């Protein structure tokens, strides 16, 4: 449920750990997380992720015949992606109509998933991926792409690798892992990334705020570390449904000794 | 503005794409440029007389027009002592065979938001100087850019256009507005004396495409169609990164740092070129 530690401290790291974040976390600490696969009966594949207060549900439908016909792609399937925030996901009600931000994020998430899904296997078809943010608390795009990859795998769609996302940022001059809602508002920079962990490729990369090249390197490495941690959780969520397809409701057995 | 859409590629484009790949494999570019060379840049400012600031930029055959306008507005509650800045752009139906009129496509929204982030996150405009009465009245600044001809690399061209319009543009004097608020006709600032737009940075966006595992800068429309990956990085005048957008494809971990270094060098080069073209001294 929570991030694991167990690292040696250099004097540099000790200095960093003096900085305690707004929610009490250390700079390189993730919020508690949990991923469950196969949570919606009707979808071909589904997953949910909880990352701190974030709660995102992803569903996959397809591959299926694509409509309208004139859009059909002869050589590969079309991947449709929708990242959407529910009206109650934020303190101030969000209009259910897709905002420009949501359209942009749907596009960058689609690009990330396209790198992993073997679309060539399904010419003239389409695959729909829906990510619904039920509750938002910072870093929703990377949590969404993480859940969507699990939902695609749950749907049995061939993939070159999983896609897993994590964010890093800068708050009060400190580079931090897994940017929370307050930190996104108050902070100096936000760096969401998503990777294909086994192919070692970055498939989503955005940044806003200000970072020197040195700070970017530190933030990038930290986000990679966080993504690898979440990748283990993705694998755990997927293997647990393989182990026991019956236990859909319960989800997973704790692997902790 | 739909790219990478096979059905919409014309025969000319397909032939071009094949040639581009062939040339890149031979370490050449179709238009004779080196991989890290920009096309010719031309900038004309003050082209729109009715705007407070404007520019027409040609980057090769890509043409952008930028206009800056002002209105009176109320500040956002969470930033009562700051003016409002909005950057938006559209690819006009004149721009290419694949550009369409109507609601903006997701690509257009992305372009618009990346240009907005480049200007906003660099804090190029000192928004604290756009305040008339804190919490009550501020200047609202609209930056609109339009692509009239799309031969690729729209984002770099648009950012060049926006910074050129801002560096040479003017705005209504907030002090004068404050003193004459009652006398001014509603929503009409034309009678207000003007002062230069208060700028404090000089952001430059650089787009790098990956074709046949080689990095090229300033991709053309046809090069964008065959690229495996494309990323835009914006640097401030102090060489900080202030915006990144992986627009298409994926990059290896080491490649991320490679493109960051290329874009830093190119940002310095392009910034100097703009200074020369606008007749501004270095700082």
């Amino acid at each position: 449920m929570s991030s694991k530690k167990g690292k040696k401290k250099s004097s540099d790291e000790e200095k960093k750990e003096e900085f305690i974040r707004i929610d009490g976390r250390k700079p390189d600490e993730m919020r508690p997380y949990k991923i469950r696969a196969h949570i919606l009966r009707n979808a071909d594949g589904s997953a949910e992720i909880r990352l701190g207060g974030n709660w995102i549900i992803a569903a996959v439908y397809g591959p299926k015949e694509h409509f309208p016909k004139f859009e059909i792609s002869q050589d590969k399937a079309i991947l449709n992606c929708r990242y959407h925030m529910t009206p109650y996901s934020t303190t101030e009600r969000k209009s259910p109509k897709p905002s420009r931000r949501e359209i942009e994020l749907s596009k960058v998430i689609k690009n990330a998933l396209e790198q992993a899904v073997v679309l060539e296997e399904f010419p003239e078809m389409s695959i729909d991926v829906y990510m619904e943010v039920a509750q938002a608390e910072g870093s929703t795009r990377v949590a969404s792409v993480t859940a969507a990859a699990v939902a695609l795998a749950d749907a049995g769609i061939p993939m070159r690798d999983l896609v897993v996302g994590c964010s890093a940022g800068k708050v009060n001059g400190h580079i931090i892992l897994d940017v929370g809602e307050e930190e996104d508002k108050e902070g100096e920079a936000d760096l969401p990334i998503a990777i294909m962990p086994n192919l070692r490729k970055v498939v989503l990369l955005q940044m806003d705020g200000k970072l020197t090249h040195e700070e970017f390197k530190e933030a990038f490495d930290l986000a990679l570390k966080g993504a690898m941690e979440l990748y283990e959780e993705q694998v755990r969520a997927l293997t647990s449904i393989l182990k026991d397809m019956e236990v859909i409701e319960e989800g997973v057995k704790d692997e902790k000794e | 503005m739909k790219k990478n859409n096979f059905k919409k590629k014309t025969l000319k484009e397909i032939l071009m794409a094949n040639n581009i790949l062939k040339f890149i494999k031979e370490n050449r570019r179709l238009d004779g440029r080196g991989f890290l060379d920009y096309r010719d840049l031309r900038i004309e400012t003050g082209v729109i007389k009715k705007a407070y600031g404007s520019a027409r930029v040609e980057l090769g055959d890509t043409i952008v027009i930028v206009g800056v306008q002002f209105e009176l507005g109320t500040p956002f509650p969470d930033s009562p002592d700051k003016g409002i800045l909005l950057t938006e752009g559209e690819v006009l139906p004149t721009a290419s065979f694949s550009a369409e009129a109507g609601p903006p496509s997701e690509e257009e929204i992305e372009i618009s938001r990346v240009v907005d982030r480049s200007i906003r996150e660099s804090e190029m405009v000192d928004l604290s100087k756009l305040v008339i009465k804190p919490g009550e009245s501020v200047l609202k600044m609209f930056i609109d850019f339009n692509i009239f001809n799309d031969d690729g690399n729209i984002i770099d061209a648009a950012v060049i256009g926006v910074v050129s319009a801002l560096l040479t543009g003017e705005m209504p004097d907030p002090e004068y507005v404050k003193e004459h608020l009652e006398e001014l006709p509603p929503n009409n600032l034309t009678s207000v004396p003007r002062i230069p737009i208060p700028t404090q940075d000089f952001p430059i966006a650089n787009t790098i495409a990956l074709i046949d595992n080689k990095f090229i800068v300033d991709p053309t429309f046809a090069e964008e169609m065959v690229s495996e990956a494309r990323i835009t990085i914006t640097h401030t005048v102090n060489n900080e990164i202030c915006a990144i957008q992986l627009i298409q494809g994926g990059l290896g971990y080491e490649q991320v740092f490679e493109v960051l270094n290329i874009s830093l060098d190119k940002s310095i080069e392009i910034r100097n070129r703009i200074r020369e073209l606008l007749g501004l001294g270095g700082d």
Side-chain angles (χ1 to χ4, degrees):
Chain A
M1 187 76 190
S2 75
S3 68
K4 12 192 151 44
K5 287 276 124 59
K7 54 173 171 40
K8 358 78 231 160
K9 289 173 191 169
S10 68
S11 64
D12 205 27
E13 278 182 53
E14 267 169 41
K15 193 189 89 206
K16 260 184 252 165
E17 283 179 14
E18 284 163 22
F19 176 63
I20 299 296
R21 295 158 66 175
I22 204 159
D23 54 5
R25 279 188 287 160
K26 291 174 181 163
D28 62 348
E29 190 178 342
M30 301 271 296
R31 289 170 287 184
Y33 51 80
K34 177 122 184 165
I35 300 173
R36 293 201 309 154
H38 209 73
I39 56 150
L40 303 174
R41 198 171 282 274
N42 284 353
D44 294 317
S46 59
E48 73 169 10
I49 184 167
R50 289 180 186 267
L51 173 65
N54 287 308
W55 180 21
I56 295 143
I57 294 163
V60 171
Y61 284 87
K64 56 185 186 181
E65 222 178 307
H66 184 75
F67 287 105
K69 284 243 187 269
F70 70 88
E71 275 181 11
I72 281 178
S73 162
Q74 308 287 342
D75 46 355
K76 57 182 183 181
I78 290 173
L79 191 71
N80 294 314
C81 279
R82 184 175 104 133
Y83 160 96
H84 180 249
M85 290 174 87
T86 58
Y88 41 80
S89 63
T90 48
T91 319
E92 217 171 289
R93 178 181 182 265
K94 196 217 140 269
S95 157
K97 189 174 151 269
S99 64
R100 289 168 68 86
R101 174 181 170 275
E102 286 167 291
I103 294 169
E104 182 203 344
L105 296 190
S106 299
K107 194 223 161 232
V108 295
I109 290 171
K110 177 174 77 180
N111 177 66
L113 296 173
E114 274 174 349
Q115 309 308 310
V117 177
V118 188
L119 296 166
E120 297 78 10
E121 293 237 343
F122 309 102
E124 301 185 19
M125 313 274 257
S126 61
I127 300 167
D128 294 342
V129 181
Y130 301 108
M131 290 148 278
E132 295 292 339
V133 180
Q135 187 166 271
E137 218 181 74
S139 302
T140 56
R141 80 194 68 178
V142 288
S144 297
V145 78
T146 302
V150 174
L152 280 162
D154 178 41
I157 290 169
M159 292 165 84
R160 298 180 176 90
D161 197 350
L162 277 174
V163 174
V164 58
C166 191
S167 69
K170 184 181 169 190
V171 174
N172 296 331
H174 298 264
I175 302 297
I176 51 144
L177 178 62
D178 182 26
V179 182
E181 191 174 12
E182 291 304 310
E183 292 170 330
D184 187 26
K185 278 182 200 147
E186 311 290 322
E188 293 105 80
D190 181 19
L191 174 72
I193 71 165
I195 57 168
M196 295 197 285
N198 297 295
L199 297 173
R200 296 175 57 84
K201 266 199 149 180
V202 182
V203 290
L204 183 154
L205 178 60
Q206 294 183 291
M207 197 212 87
D208 59 56
K210 280 184 192 167
L211 289 179
T212 64
H213 278 233
E214 293 69 35
E215 288 169 336
F216 175 87
K217 169 114 182 51
E218 194 185 335
F220 182 79
D221 289 346
L222 203 51
L224 278 186
K225 180 190 111 131
M228 292 311 290
E229 200 178 313
L230 274 176
Y231 170 62
E232 281 174 36
E233 174 68 5
Q234 284 181 311
V235 172
R236 194 200 52 73
L238 284 166
T239 45
S240 73
I241 54 163
L242 283 180
K243 271 185 206 149
D244 192 353
M245 290 297 286
E246 307 288 275
V247 195
I248 293 166
E249 274 302 294
E250 188 44 42
V252 288
K253 284 158 208 142
D254 224 316
E255 285 180 350
K256 266 184 264 167
E257 287 91 0
Chain B
M1 256 306 294
K2 285 196 187 115
K3 282 185 193 170
N4 303 316
N5 184 340
F6 182 81
K7 298 209 108 182
K8 283 200 160 183
K9 272 190 211 168
T10 61
L11 184 60
K12 192 178 118 195
E13 244 73 30
I14 292 168
L15 291 173
M16 187 98 104
N18 289 337
N19 276 334
I20 286 166
L21 282 174
K22 206 176 85 192
F23 270 64
I24 298 268
K25 277 187 206 305
E26 295 165 2
N27 286 318
R28 293 191 291 160
R29 273 170 102 169
L30 210 50
D31 52 15
R33 275 187 289 160
F35 285 177
L36 301 182
D37 291 344
Y38 267 71
R39 289 167 289 183
D40 277 346
L41 176 64
R42 285 174 294 278
I43 307 174
E44 214 183 319
T45 56
V47 290
I48 308 288
K49 299 291 167 244
K50 300 205 168 176
Y52 285 85
S54 62
R56 179 184 196 274
V57 167
E58 286 182 33
L59 183 59
D61 287 329
T62 291
I63 302 177
V64 190
I65 295 181
V66 181
V68 181
Q69 284 162 315
F70 291 90
E71 262 179 28
L72 285 180
T74 42
F76 293 118
D78 57 351
S79 47
D81 49 2
K82 277 184 178 165
I84 294 170
L85 172 73
L86 281 170
T87 310
E88 248 183 61
E90 263 185 65
V91 180
L92 300 178
T94 60
S96 74
F97 67 91
S98 66
E100 283 166 10
S105 64
E106 54 184 23
E107 287 87 356
E108 268 181 279
I109 290 175
E110 180 180 46
I111 288 163
S112 183
R113 288 177 59 85
V114 173
V115 174
D116 181 76
R117 278 205 283 278
S118 299
I119 304 302
R120 185 183 304 280
E121 300 297 334
S122 70
E123 299 173 275
M124 179 179 189
V125 180
D126 184 354
L127 294 177
S128 67
K129 301 216 167 109
L130 270 61
V131 178
I132 294 158
K133 272 186 189 163
E136 274 178 44
S137 179
V138 296
L139 289 175
K140 210 171 166 180
M141 181 174 192
F142 296 91
I143 304 172
D144 286 280
F145 67 89
N146 285 119
I147 313 302
F148 282 77
N149 197 65
D150 178 4
D151 191 26
N153 204 9
I154 289 174
I155 294 176
D156 295 12
V159 171
I160 293 169
V162 173
V163 297
S164 302
L166 291 175
L167 289 169
T168 55
E170 298 179 313
M171 71 171 194
D173 184 357
E175 281 299 313
Y176 182 94
V177 178
K178 189 180 170 181
E179 281 156 30
H180 300 82
L181 205 51
E182 277 75 43
E183 307 148 38
L184 288 172
N187 253 331
N188 189 339
L189 297 168
T190 43
S191 60
V192 177
R194 298 178 180 189
I195 58 168
I197 294 171
T199 59
Q200 53 186 10
D201 207 297
F202 196 150
I204 297 292
N206 299 94
T207 299
I208 297 167
L210 185 67
I211 302 177
D212 192 42
N213 231 16
K214 288 159 189 147
F215 289 117
I216 60 160
V217 301
D218 186 24
T220 62
F221 190 94
E223 285 172 337
E224 285 178 357
M225 278 205 292
V226 296
S227 63
E228 293 132 38
R230 189 149 45 99
I231 185 168
T232 302
I233 297 148
T234 308
H235 279 93
T236 66
V237 74
N238 298 318
N239 299 336
E240 296 157 312
I241 308 160
C242 68
I244 302 178
Q245 184 90 343
L246 178 60
I247 294 169
Q248 180 222 328
L251 293 172
Y253 299 167
E254 303 73 26
Q255 287 180 321
V256 171
F257 295 97
E258 217 177 307
V259 292
L260 281 176
N261 287 332
I262 295 172
S263 66
L264 175 58
D265 289 349
K266 289 289 132 184
S267 72
I268 295 167
E269 179 191 315
I270 296 299
R271 192 178 291 113
N272 285 334
R273 248 158 98 179
I274 298 172
R275 280 191 181 124
E276 262 171 53
L277 289 167
L278 297 182
L280 302 169
D283 56 2

